[in-house]
Amino acid sequence: MSQAAARVIARQVLSKPDSVLGLPTGETPIGMYETLVHMYDQGLIDFSRIVTFNLDEYYTLSPDHPNRYHRYMYEKLFMHVNVPEGNIHIPDGGVQDGEAECRRYDEELVRYGRINLQVLGIGTNGHIGFNEPGTAWGLTTHVSDLSPETREWEARSFAEDEPVPRRAITMGIKTIMNAEQIMLLASGEEKAKAVAAALFGPITPQVPASVLQLHPQLTVALDKAAEEKFP
Ligand code: F6R
């Protein structure tokens, strides 16, 4: 899955060196980022004109918190490749005024037109970004309340006595669906039900990822375990 996903990104970067990429965090894309760093080290890809927009960030977490997605992105990718600092966009989850940060993020995105390739993971409840079940599909970047299921899943990466954030700043479904191409990644049996519901079930806001059935350019990269529940 990671290699297939990295190849899709590499092809995008080669064919359009100034591409705008939408990027996820989480466990799923770790191998994809490792593969991209490896390709970069071998001189196969050049990120010097690439622009990136991250999907989401916890709101709020202190700037030095190890779980910030900001830190994840630098550790997994940006510290190792040549994306120019000024081309990197990640929502600021440390601000007082979350709504203002969402508007700023949307305006920044509009400056670049549209995302060429949006990469997504999927939650066990079918969320994409942090668009939880029931979220309106017309939203752009917004502050979302994390569902109990999502908070339980996210708790894996927080210390036992530490509260998991209740909210996040996330691109909305409208932002995601506006991307020219979308690639959905999923690995592991815990995701099998959500992947099957997203790709083969009814198209409904109760399964946010099911909206992807409406996208004309969707690539799905899965491991075997994640496709276990396919009809
Ligand atoms: C992260 C994001 C989330 C994750 C999803 C799966 O930026 O947008 O939707 O993709 O929660 O997370 P993992 O990969 O940790 O299972």
Side-chain angles (χ1 to χ4, degrees):
M1 179 205 70
S2 300
Q3 296 221 344
R7 285 176 194 171
V8 170
I9 295 186
R11 188 182 59 203
Q12 177 69 38
V13 172
L14 282 173
S15 65
K16 190 176 186 314
D18 60 347
S19 289
V20 181
L21 304 178
L23 298 175
T25 56
E27 269 179 37
T28 314
I30 291 178
M32 176 188 79
Y33 290 132
E34 277 172 10
T35 310
L36 284 174
V37 170
H38 187 61
M39 287 173 157
Y40 172 76
D41 287 341
Q42 290 180 309
L44 297 176
I45 34 177
D46 171 25
F47 293 94
S48 61
R49 293 170 61 205
I50 290 297
V51 174
T52 66
F53 278 85
N54 264 81
L55 263 174
D56 43 22
E57 176 64 281
Y58 292 120
Y59 178 61
T60 59
L61 270 192
S62 64
D64 54 351
H65 197 287
N67 287 38
R68 280 180 83 208
Y69 288 164
H70 188 276
R71 174 157 170 177
Y72 169 108
M73 286 308 298
Y74 277 80
E75 282 180 356
K76 305 285 186 257
L77 186 67
F78 297 139
M79 263 164 51
H80 312 289
V81 301
N82 62 340
V83 182
E85 179 69 30
N87 289 7
I88 295 170
H89 303 86
I90 305 172
D92 185 349
V95 293
Q96 286 289 324
D97 187 344
E99 294 304 330
E101 175 59 7
C102 294
R103 299 291 69 79
R104 184 196 69 80
Y105 206 63
D106 280 340
E107 279 162 22
E108 194 71 7
L109 193 45
V110 165
R111 272 187 44 208
Y112 288 94
R114 90 197 265 213
I115 291 173
N116 297 112
L117 173 61
Q118 174 67 58
V119 185
L120 300 171
I122 183 169
T124 51
N125 62 359
H127 73 214
I128 46 178
F130 278 124
N131 292 278
E132 297 285 31
T135 305
W137 283 352
L139 296 181
T140 56
T141 306
H142 62 281
V143 175
S144 86
D145 292 321
L146 303 186
S147 68
E149 186 172 345
T150 296
R151 293 185 69 228
E152 203 176 302
W153 183 258
E154 298 296 311
R156 294 167 310 160
S157 50
F158 283 81
E160 221 171 281
D161 54 349
E162 201 183 9
V164 178
R166 295 186 171 278
R167 293 185 294 173
I169 292 178
T170 182
M171 283 184 194
I173 299 282
K174 186 174 176 187
T175 327
I176 292 170
M177 288 297 280
N178 194 36
E180 195 180 0
Q181 261 194 80
I182 296 183
M183 174 163 62
L184 177 70
L185 310 180
S187 63
E189 59 186 356
E190 302 97 325
K191 299 291 174 68
K193 228 175 85 206
V195 172
L199 299 179
F200 302 107
I203 300 173
T204 163
Q206 292 315 316
V207 181
S210 66
V211 76
L212 300 176
Q213 292 182 42
L214 301 176
H215 200 281
Q217 296 279 357
L218 174 68
T219 303
V220 181
L222 307 171
D223 68 1
K224 274 272 165 230
E227 68 179 55
E228 198 181 309
K229 301 267 189 251
F230 277 14

